[in-house]
Amino acid sequence: MAAGDGVVPKSWNTTYTVQVGEIVAHLVMRAGVITVGPGAAENPDLIIVAGPQIRDVLAGELDAQTAVSTGVVRLEGDPALFERFADTLRVPYSPHVPAGA
């Protein structure tokens, strides 16, 4: 499922806060829909703190377990929710942007 689909199983009710550098956003997977907004979520189920390599996770080039074990991401909460995040949100690299750009 690609992030652009904005659809998840209706049974999911999960809230994330994602911090990459100074940027903080929240993401909610609830009632079959994905929504994203600026700032931290109130009482998130999982907090994800990452550097620029989170992009590799979103592109499907780096799996969730490796991202955690190598320190690409730090998690506060249930790590299984990060696997859900990584498996659900896919943003492939553009063929028009060179790798590492």
Side-chain angles (χ1 to χ4, degrees):
M1 177 178 311
D5 293 345
V7 178
V8 295
K10 289 187 183 285
S11 62
W12 288 7
N13 185 10
T14 310
T15 304
Y16 301 85
T17 290
V18 181
Q19 179 178 348
V20 180
E22 298 296 317
I23 298 171
V24 179
H26 65 274
L27 181 137
V28 179
M29 297 179 186
R30 180 176 296 133
V33 178
I34 299 171
T35 57
V36 179
E42 187 174 318
N43 300 315
D45 298 297
L46 183 66
I47 299 171
I48 303 166
V49 179
Q53 280 187 296
I54 187 81
R55 184 66 185 93
D56 294 336
V57 175
L58 295 174
E61 300 292 322
L62 181 64
D63 67 86
Q65 287 183 321
T66 302
V68 172
S69 67
T70 59
V72 168
V73 298
R74 287 182 292 127
L75 306 176
E76 294 179 32
D78 182 353
L81 294 176
F82 182 62
E83 292 208 25
R84 175 184 285 182
F85 176 93
D87 290 344
T88 303
L89 302 172
R90 284 284 184 249
V91 184
Y93 286 118
S94 169
H96 306 290
V97 177

